[in-house]
Amino acid sequence: SLATVDLAKVDLYTGKLSLCKAGAALSLLCQNGEIKRFAASSLPIGILQNTSFDEQLCTLGEGDVLLMLSDGAIACGEGFLCEMLRKYARKPAKEIAYAICSEVKSRLDDNHADDITVAAIKLVKGI
């Protein structure tokens, strides 16, 4: 059996982000209107005996938004997702995820068999 790994670890004091991926779909980060993409080059865990995951590091700032997506969510294309992320980046994370997920679902036909999962993580200062 095999499993994809798509893991984000954020240090809330420093903003340091560690993204670990193995066979996982694309993730997107919006920082000041600029989109950065994070893709895994490694295979899913379980295909080969010594499969490892890719780790990518960056630092988040206030208002930055990380989108973690299932492969069904990227079926409409990366360009479309980047546009949506820029458009909604100032909204709360829940609104961003809902808007993107709804739009992807509306663009795909009813026979789309893959799941559509969107997780939005937004760094904001505490109250």
Side-chain angles (χ1 to χ4, degrees):
S1 78
L2 62 95
T4 60
V5 175
D6 203 359
L7 173 76
K9 182 173 77 171
V10 180
D11 182 323
L12 297 177
Y13 293 102
T14 64
K16 295 209 181 294
L17 167 68
S18 171
L19 270 175
C20 300
K21 292 180 169 290
L26 177 72
S27 291
L28 298 171
L29 175 64
C30 184
Q31 290 185 308
N32 300 315
E34 212 172 295
I35 305 294
K36 295 180 181 177
R37 57 187 313 278
F38 298 92
S41 61
S42 64
L43 296 170
I45 302 296
I47 289 181
L48 301 173
Q49 264 189 352
N50 295 322
T51 305
S52 62
F53 55 83
D54 292 335
E55 182 179 22
Q56 299 169 335
L57 306 170
C58 72
T59 301
L60 300 177
E62 185 175 1
D64 290 349
V65 179
L66 174 67
L67 275 188
M68 298 177 76
L69 306 152
S70 67
D71 54 353
I74 62 171
C76 288
E78 184 182 330
F80 152 76
L81 291 167
C82 291
E83 288 174 27
M84 288 285 294
L85 181 53
R86 272 191 206 93
K87 178 179 176 181
Y88 286 92
R90 296 188 190 275
K91 304 280 186 188
K94 184 177 180 177
E95 272 186 57
I96 296 167
Y98 183 81
I100 291 173
C101 195
S102 295
E103 185 64 26
V104 168
K105 189 175 178 184
S106 75
R107 288 173 176 241
L108 297 173
D109 64 30
D110 290 337
N111 295 327
H112 184 72
D114 209 346
D115 70 292
I116 299 169
T117 305
V118 178
I121 301 158
K122 185 170 189 175
L123 193 64
V124 295
K125 274 189 179 173
I127 299 173

